[in-house]
Amino acid sequence: MDGEGDNSTVRRILLGTVLRKLRAKKQISAKEAGYHIRGTESKISRMETGKVSFKERDVADLLTLYGVTDAKEREQILNLVNEANTLGWWHTYGESLPGWFEAFVGLETAASIVRTYEVQYIPGLLQCREYARSVIGNNRSLSQEEVERRVEVRIRRQDVLDRPGAPVFWTVLDEAALRRPIGGAESMQPQIEHLIEQTQRANVTIQLLPFSVGAHAAEGGAFVLLRFAEPELADLVYLEHLTGAQYLDRPEDVEQYSRVMDRISVDALTPEDTLRALKQFAMLSRH
């Protein structure tokens, strides 16, 4: 995978963070900054949160407004513009991906650690093709062609686990996800076999949270914790719902989800016991 292109989401966020800090240091309002580049306060907000592409002229004008006159510093920041505007592979599937999910794919690709708790489904990064097709095909509003395009996106996302500097992926999987017969034996059997294979990856940890645990700390439902190597980027919590998604970045929110993840990791089966349980599920699925 093309590392630079795949990091475009992070580059946008980094550039936006730099611009926000420079503006705050000069105590310039977002409205004033927007007026300076023939835009609006809303445009500055979208730029500073990395939600839009950047025009080099706009960034150069903002740097001047913010008093950045050193040629080397200006060059370093302006170099980020091209990197931030380089589209990741997922943009070619733009018509098949909701806008809120495109952002997640970019962040997932750039993360150094991905920790997730799943209740109903196997995590997307660990789904085999048959299982992914069954999950996506449950959406009756999609044509068969659209289903296949979304399956391709889901399978291609998994390349992130193979690339140099691949993230650590650690999931706690509720037993319900294995008990729910998505697509029947035709998809569940290969999916469980696939999970067993994935446990052999050095950067993948799978823990099963059995029903026997009873009530647990993650009763609120599925979530994803994302951590980045870049110190300027704060940890994020990703929560998906029926019509969109929510990103939490307040330290107190992230800390709470981190504590929940730690607690259910203690309550769940160890990776070794999880592997034994998966092998038992595999035997059952064959009969």
Side-chain angles (χ1 to χ4, degrees), residues 124-136:
L125 290 184
L126 300 181
Q127 291 181 8
C128 70
R129 187 176 293 272
E130 296 89 341
Y131 181 89
R133 185 177 290 115
S134 294
V135 171
I136 296 169

Side-chain angles (χ1 to χ4, degrees), residues 42-108:
S42 176
K43 179 177 180 178
I44 294 297
S45 175
R46 292 196 302 273
M47 289 173 68
E48 292 182 351
T49 52
K51 293 179 179 177
V52 292
S53 58
F54 295 83
K55 292 181 180 177
E56 187 170 334
R57 183 184 69 173
D58 288 344
V59 175
D61 287 349
L62 288 173
L63 292 180
T64 300
L65 177 65
Y66 301 156
V68 180
T69 56
D70 180 76
K72 187 174 182 180
E73 184 179 2
R74 289 178 68 94
E75 182 182 4
Q76 287 177 336
I77 296 173
L78 289 172
N79 283 342
L80 271 178
V81 174
N82 287 331
E83 294 178 18
N85 289 337
T86 302
L87 296 180
W89 63 265
W90 55 89
H91 289 281
T92 61
Y93 294 88
E95 293 181 0
S96 300
L97 288 176
W100 48 266
F101 191 68
E102 273 195 61
F104 174 72
V105 175
L107 291 167
E108 176 186 70

Side-chain angles (χ1 to χ4, degrees), residues 9 25 31 51 60 64 81 84-85 89 101 103 108 124 136-138 174 180 184 189 214 216 221 223 227 233 258 285:
T9 302
K25 186 177 180 181
K31 184 176 182 180
K51 293 179 179 177
T64 300
V81 174
N85 289 337
W89 63 265
F101 191 68
E108 176 186 70
I136 296 169
N138 280 334
D174 198 285
R180 183 167 285 106
Q189 184 177 331
H216 55 79
F223 62 90
R227 173 164 292 178
L233 289 182
S258 295
S285 69

